[in-house]
Amino acid sequence: MVETLLFNEKNCTEESITVGGKCIKYRSYENINYIENPVAKEHQILNIYIPVSYYEEKEINGYQKNTAPIFMPNQVGGYMPGHIVKPGLDQSGKINATFVALAKGMVVVSPGVRGRHMQNEEGKYIGIAPAAIVDLKAVVRYLRYNKDRLPAGDVEKIISNGTSAGGALSALLGASGNHSDYESYLEELGAAKARDDIFAASCYCPITNLENADSAYEWEFQDDFECNIERRQATKDGKDFTLVSVKELMSDIQKNYSKEIKKDFPQYLNSLDLKNSNGNVFSLVTEREGSFIDYLKEKIIESGQKELNITDHIECDAFTIERNIITDVDLNAFIKFRTRKKSVPAFDGINNITPENELFGTEDCEYAHFTRFAADNDPNRKGYLADKKRVGIMNPMEYIHSESDKALYYRIRHGAMDRDTSLAISAMLALGLSMNNVKVDYQLPWGISHAGDYDIDELFGWIESITK
Ligand code: DHB
């Protein structure tokens, strides 16, 4: 046993919080080091919250202390460091998922994980890929290691949750359980010797599969050369930011980039050999023909129909509607309706300064390319082309067919109006996982742009359905 990694039941405070008229009481174990050799000591820590009822041997929502699922939301956004969250309100003033999880009788583990831009005292970048996923795995290992010391929570029912980059990490955590690729990193950190697979993964708009995200983006938004970029603008008092939408037309060079980049997508998609349970393949015959197109259209129609059933009216002329039933969607018209958000390339910037370029930087170099196209077209040639293995280790698609121990359940949500990445990215993830005996609940909720945790009732309904 490693003394420093043993959970100490005595280090807790009893807390209560009332939000929206609902009071929850819980014990809070804070700032627990989950690895032996942290490189960011203040950051590689976690909090555990346990409903007080479990210390009184009471049941909550059908769960007992030893059957309560462990909800593990990561707060990573933009591949920046993910901070610990406490039960309460989120940034927009809504009750957060941590509060709801506790109210529903779950144990919550809130991890602090490293992210891009973090530097140590010597100026080395310590949050570059694969730091965040290694930290999350170390957290899971810590929980399993302390399985018999935790006062409540079933370590075989860990459910991770995240949005955007955090959704990508949730997807990766679910796909890569116990894979040996991460072993040396975990060993170096002094992670607990235990398994790191999880039970289920909830992924909102996962910004994932980064090395193929540029080609998917250009394939989706092809011929739409107007970017509707969201810029952060300081408020008058300079204390806050608002998002303003700015239209920008692409230059001729950018249009040519787009045409070049999109060419890779059909070949990549077909190389995945995605199939459904009847053995039917999801492929592209041309850029806009093939069973993969039919699948996307089906998901878009499903999304629109759900909305139509509720509202009786839908503001989108891409649909053919007969007696309130959507019978078809014009995919190009729908994509135009979504509008393009990012410039080209969307992820691996030619000028090498996107969040993803920073994610793949090295200890000593802030930015790196991760696609051959951007590296070849960077006039300054600054930054390296990141090591292929280090790029792959961040991509759940690399693990869905591997010998990893995958989460049994996934919930993937990609808002129908979310253009931070192509719809193809989440669709390929959902299809690939389904082929590997994972039960995937995948939807493109209508009217939703880049966001997460917007359907808390449904999220926890899903968790209850898979844990009871
Ligand atoms: C996030 C959004 C992006 O568009 C991106 O490229 C990377 C991360 C995010 O919100 O986490």
Side-chain angles (χ1 to χ4, degrees):
M1 282 289 149
V2 179
E3 199 66 33
T4 49
L5 293 180
L6 296 185
F7 175 79
N8 180 355
E9 198 181 339
K10 297 205 180 78
N11 273 347
C12 74
T13 53
E14 198 148 312
E15 316 264 338
S16 72
I17 175 170
T18 304
V19 180
K22 186 160 181 70
C23 176
I24 52 166
K25 293 196 172 110
Y26 60 96
R27 286 195 193 167
S28 182
Y29 303 83
E30 301 196 353
N31 303 329
I32 302 170
N33 292 310
Y34 56 80
I35 43 179
E36 274 189 274
N37 318 315
V39 291
K41 211 167 184 329
E42 279 91 65
H43 218 81
Q44 291 170 299
I45 49 176
L46 58 83
N47 283 8
I48 302 179
Y49 311 118
I50 299 179
V52 160
S53 295
Y54 289 138
Y55 300 88
E56 300 158 355
E57 306 297 330
K58 287 189 194 147
E59 201 179 273
I60 314 174
N61 188 26
Y63 298 120
Q64 281 112 28
K65 68 176 182 189
N66 57 345
T67 62
I70 300 178
F71 181 64
M72 185 171 139
N74 78 66
Q75 301 295 303
V76 174
Y79 285 102
M80 295 292 278
H83 300 281
I84 283 173
V85 67
K86 294 192 171 196
L89 299 177
D90 66 16
Q91 282 158 331
S92 58
K94 281 197 342 238
I95 296 178
N96 67 17
T98 296
F99 184 101
V100 178
L102 288 167
K104 290 190 179 284
M106 294 168 201
V107 168
V108 178
V109 171
S110 177
V113 298
R114 287 169 295 163
R116 67 182 173 90
H117 218 66
M118 284 179 89
Q119 282 174 288
N120 65 11
E121 278 160 13
E122 288 106 63
K124 303 265 186 222
Y125 293 102
I126 54 170
I128 51 172
I133 186 64
V134 174
D135 287 356
L136 287 173
K137 281 176 175 287
V139 169
V140 175
R141 288 184 172 206
Y142 174 88
L143 297 173
R144 276 235 174 69
Y145 193 68
N146 285 292
K147 154 173 140 28
D148 297 326
R149 276 173 290 274
L150 293 175
D154 179 355
V155 295
E156 297 309 323
K157 294 277 154 54
I158 298 175
I159 297 132
S160 102
N161 182 49
T163 297
S164 195
L169 289 167
S170 186
L172 183 57
L173 191 63
S176 64
N178 307 321
H179 199 283
S180 57
D181 280 0
Y182 304 85
E183 201 53 53
S184 61
Y185 296 101
L186 286 157
E187 186 118 334
E188 202 177 323
L189 287 182
K193 299 259 181 288
R195 283 165 35 222
D196 57 53
D197 56 295
I198 57 168
F199 177 69
S202 157
C203 320
Y204 287 98
C205 50
I207 299 288
T208 191
N209 198 350
L210 298 170
E211 60 273 44
N212 298 294
D214 282 334
S215 69
Y217 207 79
E218 297 319 313
W219 166 81
E220 176 171 342
F221 293 102
Q222 53 183 271
D223 303 329
D224 182 355
F225 297 127
E226 185 180 272
C227 313
N228 293 268
I229 298 169
E230 273 168 6
R231 289 246 157 77
R232 273 153 68 97
Q233 197 175 69
T235 50
K236 271 191 190 139
D237 59 10
K239 287 188 183 148
D240 208 348
F241 291 94
T242 51
L243 284 178
V244 290
S245 195
V246 187
K247 285 196 191 304
E248 242 175 57
L249 274 183
M250 285 189 197
S251 66
D252 287 343
I253 293 176
Q254 287 175 320
K255 287 179 193 169
N256 285 335
Y257 284 164
S258 174
K259 286 182 183 141
E260 276 303 305
I261 292 171
K262 76 171 176 179
K263 281 188 199 155
D264 287 339
F265 185 71
Q267 199 185 353
Y268 169 67
L269 183 274
N270 290 337
S271 77
L272 294 173
D273 203 19
L274 299 169
K275 292 188 182 98
N276 68 9
S277 54
N278 302 326
N280 300 328
V281 179
F282 297 99
S283 60
L284 285 171
V285 181
T286 68
E287 280 176 357
R288 284 292 186 257
E289 278 174 314
S291 42
F292 184 66
I293 297 283
D294 299 338
Y295 176 73
L296 279 183
K297 285 173 64 168
E298 204 179 288
K299 297 308 290 185
I300 295 161
I301 291 173
E302 184 183 296
S303 166
Q305 187 66 53
K306 217 173 158 192
E307 175 71 7
L308 197 53
N309 293 347
I310 300 165
T311 59
D312 246 12
H313 175 75
I314 196 157
E315 206 64 60
C316 174
D317 56 15
F319 290 128
T320 309
I321 304 174
E322 289 164 24
R323 288 198 216 94
N324 250 23
I325 302 291
I326 303 179
T327 54
D328 198 10
V329 60
D330 175 336
L331 188 62
N332 285 337
F334 178 72
I335 292 165
K336 199 131 194 79
F337 167 78
R338 262 161 67 71
T339 74
R340 179 187 183 105
K341 177 175 174 184
K342 294 183 172 179
S343 184
V344 60
F347 295 88
D348 190 355
I350 299 290
N351 55 6
N352 211 354
I353 53 162
T354 66
E356 289 78 10
N357 290 134
E358 191 173 25
L359 175 68
F360 291 117
T362 65
E363 257 187 21
D364 299 305
C365 180
E366 203 172 353
Y367 300 107
H369 288 297
F370 50 95
T371 64
R372 178 50 54 208
F373 183 88
D376 284 349
N377 285 281
D378 183 344
N380 301 315
R381 282 290 189 153
K382 55 180 182 243
Y384 315 88
L385 183 60
D387 172 47
K388 217 170 165 193
K389 180 114 203 205
R390 202 159 62 85
V391 178
I393 204 173
M394 294 301 285
N395 188 347
M397 298 303 287
E398 294 289 316
Y399 294 94
I400 52 180
H401 299 301
S402 78
E403 75 282 13
S404 63
D405 297 311
K406 281 165 269 300
L408 299 179
Y409 299 92
Y410 267 73
R411 183 176 192 267
I412 304 172
R413 291 291 181 270
H414 188 159
M417 291 304 289
D418 182 345
R419 315 97 75 220
D420 275 53
T421 195
S422 167
L423 292 177
I425 293 293
S426 55
M428 293 186 293
L429 177 65
L431 290 171
L433 287 164
S434 302
M435 279 173 75
N436 286 281
N437 298 323
V438 178
K439 294 222 162 21
V440 186
D441 173 342
Y442 172 51
Q443 289 182 30
L444 313 174
W446 190 258
I448 298 287
S449 54
H450 196 59
D453 292 2
Y454 41 77
D455 54 353
I456 289 273
D457 288 348
E458 286 91 346
L459 169 64
F460 284 100
W462 170 75
I463 295 179
E464 285 168 4
S465 76
I466 60 174
T467 54
K468 282 188 177 171

